[in-house]
Amino acid sequence: MHQKMIKVVSIYLLISVIIVESLCAATFWGKFDILTYNFPWAKLAASRWLQLYQPHYAGGYLVNYPPLLPTLFWPFGKIINFFNLSLSKGSGYQLASAFLTIKFQAMIFHWLIAAFVYWKSHSKIMGLGLASLILINPALWFNAAFWGQLDTALIFFIVLSFYYLSQRHFYLASFWFGLGCLAKLQFFYLVPLFGLTLLVLAKWRQTIYAVCLVIGVNILGWLPFMIAMRQITLPIKVITSSLNQYPELFANAFNGWAGVLKPQMWYRRLKMTNHIFGRVTFSQFNTVVLILIVGGLCLLFLQYWRQKRQNLPIALIGAIYSGFIFFFTTGQHERYQMGMLGFVILWVLLQNEWPLSRSLATYGWFTFIIFINEIFVYLSIYFNTKALTTFNQLLRVGGVINTLMFIIWVGLIIWQRKQQGSQSDEG
């Protein structure tokens, strides 16, 4: 296919997706989450940006995000305030404008992921194919255009930061990773992965500079709000309060906990302080699991460091690492598997040939299961299916199937890499 034709098709595809996705966002008037979080945050950012974390101005809609995404709501908040838009009243045109405005940031990140993948692909044909898979991804569509969540931003910063890290552009990777920490709290789970990769791939001086860059980006991002509130510990306060905001042990996630616990447990909204057995609380058990996951990651990277391997599969390790956190630690939401999808997208991008094998199949499976989980939970809010026993049964079945598929996938990856290792040793 001619290069010029590929560019024309790419532009046509992007414009088509922008139009259709925008129409979906404008005509689907679901208020869940965006009414109590995104919408008031946008209005507050546009009127009192430095007071985002002031309870006096935020009222009952306290900002529980790091400052980047609430700050990026500023232009959308200006539009909302100028036209006095509302999610609950006004004409059909006004309501459509309000819903489109508040969801637009999430959709922009969706389109930027596809654009970056197209830009960095090994060939234009491959880039067009991969960008198309991202643009028509139903899990990303629903998350951004229907729900109005901002998990597309999480995927965007994962792809950029770890892509540049894999290419040994350490300072550029650190810059994007620092922005990721300013965007989503889930990025703090990725600090061990990012830090260990630096230790393996970079020189000591480069590692120190890269770490200082991540810290510097975060200090600059938080500094205006720390000064405005005269509180140097503001980042710690926001992060800890966010971790304690959701009292449930797990929230509708197709993970290991949904499969292990009895379906009736969902109603009890178990807290991290509840006892799992004896005097051991869920919080304590969760800490042990996290330590084991990070410990296993350290041992893996130690092996690569000792063998001085150059082909460090960052995307694959990241997908497995984030998967272990999602499936085996508590406090996971149905959308938190999005981080794993981000690493799978990166894994597909870094393939040298058109990925019609396991990487593409993995992308398809996680897209499907995340989309079903999102639909399952979101529609239950409106149809009150939580009152039905079927809801709990499906939650448990989904957790069992998804967890088993993840374990099988990890087992296949380990077996394949051992086979490749033994063949290279024989050669």
Side-chain angles (χ1 to χ4, degrees), residues 43-56:
K43 297 178 67 174
L44 181 59
S47 58
R48 297 180 180 273
W49 173 61
L50 288 176
Q51 279 73 44
L52 275 173
Y53 298 99
Q54 289 277 10
H56 176 72

Side-chain angles (χ1 to χ4, degrees), residues 170 198-208:
F170 302 119
L198 279 175
L199 288 174
V200 171
L201 297 182
K203 298 179 180 179
W204 282 104
R205 181 175 296 181
Q206 291 174 316
T207 300
I208 294 173

Side-chain angles (χ1 to χ4, degrees), residues 3-4 20 35 40 51 84 89 92 104 115 117 119 135 151 160 168 187 207 221 224 255 289 299 348 370 385 406:
Q3 296 289 335
K4 186 176 181 180
V20 177
L35 177 65
Q51 279 73 44
N84 195 26
K89 59 183 180 180
F104 210 74
V117 168
W119 178 36
L135 288 175
D151 297 287
L160 264 70
R168 290 171 171 76
F187 249 78
T207 300
N255 64 3
V289 173
L299 292 176
V348 176
I370 293 170
T385 57
F406 171 73

Side-chain angles (χ1 to χ4, degrees), residues 88-396:
S88 304
K89 59 183 180 180
S91 65
Y93 174 78
Q94 290 172 321
L95 287 171
S97 300
F99 279 97
L100 175 60
T101 302
I102 200 59
K103 297 174 184 177
F104 210 74
Q105 180 185 157
M107 294 191 297
I108 289 176
F109 278 111
H110 180 195
W111 306 330
L112 287 176
I113 297 168
F116 182 81
V117 168
Y118 175 81
W119 178 36
K120 293 298 183 180
S121 293
H122 299 291
S123 68
K124 293 299 181 183
I125 296 178
M126 180 179 175
L128 178 60
L130 297 183
S132 301
L133 288 176
I134 293 171
L135 288 175
I136 63 175
N137 186 299
L140 299 182
W141 266 58
F142 190 84
N143 187 273
F146 288 86
W147 198 328
Q149 287 287 353
L150 295 166
D151 297 287
T152 50
L154 172 69
I155 294 178
F156 174 78
F157 287 113
I158 284 177
V159 171
L160 264 70
S161 58
F162 284 92
Y163 172 82
Y164 286 115
L165 191 58
S166 69
Q167 303 302 306
R168 290 171 171 76
H169 297 303
F170 302 119
Y171 305 138
L172 196 54
S174 298
F175 171 76
W176 288 110
F177 189 83
L179 289 182
C181 293
L182 287 173
K184 297 285 285 186
L185 289 174
Q186 290 98 302
F187 249 78
F188 289 97
Y189 283 127
L190 305 178
V191 169
L193 177 65
F194 190 85
L196 288 170
T197 305
L198 279 175
L199 288 174
V200 171
L201 297 182
K203 298 179 180 179
W204 282 104
R205 181 175 296 181
Q206 291 174 316
T207 300
I208 294 173
Y209 288 163
V211 171
C212 290
L213 181 57
V214 172
I215 295 173
V217 168
N218 277 270
I219 291 176
L220 288 176
W222 280 102
L223 190 60
F225 305 97
M226 294 162 61
I227 294 175
M229 291 192 65
R230 298 179 181 178
Q231 189 173 9
I232 195 172
T233 59
L234 177 64
I236 298 175
K237 180 181 178 181
V238 173
I239 293 171
T240 54
S241 64
S242 299
L243 293 176
N244 297 325
Q245 183 173 359
Y246 303 105
E248 58 269 271
L249 177 64
F250 69 97
N252 319 308
F254 285 165
N255 64 3
W257 286 100
V260 171
L261 295 179
K262 295 180 179 179
Q264 294 79 7
M265 289 291 190
W266 195 91
Y267 288 114
R268 302 180 187 179
R269 298 179 67 84
L270 296 174
K271 298 181 180 180
M272 298 290 281
T273 54
N274 291 132
H275 292 81
I276 185 171
F277 53 82
R279 295 184 178 182
V280 179
T281 65
F282 279 110
S283 179
Q284 293 169 342
F285 184 77
N286 184 68
T287 302
V288 173
V289 173
L290 278 173
I291 292 174
L292 291 175
I293 293 173
V294 175
L297 183 70
C298 291
L299 292 176
L300 177 64
F301 272 83
L302 179 62
Q303 179 184 2
Y304 273 94
W305 181 74
R306 284 179 174 177
Q307 297 178 356
K308 297 181 179 179
R309 296 185 184 180
Q310 297 298 318
N311 58 336
L312 183 66
I314 299 174
L316 190 56
I317 293 174
I320 295 174
Y321 170 72
S322 58
F324 270 104
I325 290 176
F326 173 79
F327 285 102
F328 301 111
T329 63
T330 56
Q332 297 298 315
H333 288 250
E334 67 286 332
R335 297 174 291 102
Y336 286 4
Q337 199 175 3
M338 285 285 194
M340 192 176 179
L341 183 60
F343 282 107
V344 173
I345 290 174
L346 182 61
W347 183 31
V348 176
L349 172 62
L350 293 176
Q351 299 295 312
N352 293 323
E353 300 177 356
W354 176 250
L356 294 175
S357 57
R358 185 171 292 115
S359 57
L360 193 58
T362 304
Y363 173 81
W365 166 253
F366 289 124
T367 294
F368 171 76
I369 198 69
I370 293 170
F371 175 67
I372 294 299
N373 205 176
E374 286 182 314
I375 290 284
F376 177 58
V377 172
Y378 194 90
L379 295 183
S380 70
I381 303 298
Y382 292 99
F383 294 107
N384 196 27
T385 57
K386 289 184 178 180
L388 303 177
T389 306
T390 306
F391 180 88
N392 290 328
Q393 292 174 343
L394 290 175
L395 183 62
R396 191 174 193 182

Side-chain angles (χ1 to χ4, degrees), residues 29-93:
W29 295 351
K31 304 175 186 177
F32 183 50
D33 279 347
I34 61 175
L35 177 65
T36 52
Y37 297 105
N38 299 16
F39 202 78
W41 292 357
K43 297 178 67 174
L44 181 59
S47 58
R48 297 180 180 273
W49 173 61
L50 288 176
Q51 279 73 44
L52 275 173
Y53 298 99
Q54 289 277 10
H56 176 72
Y57 297 107
Y61 309 112
L62 292 176
V63 177
N64 59 357
Y65 270 41
L68 180 59
L69 296 185
T71 297
L72 293 178
F73 272 130
W74 180 87
F76 307 107
K78 285 293 185 180
I79 296 173
I80 291 170
N81 292 341
F82 181 81
F83 292 101
N84 195 26
L85 298 178
S86 171
L87 298 181
S88 304
K89 59 183 180 180
S91 65
Y93 174 78

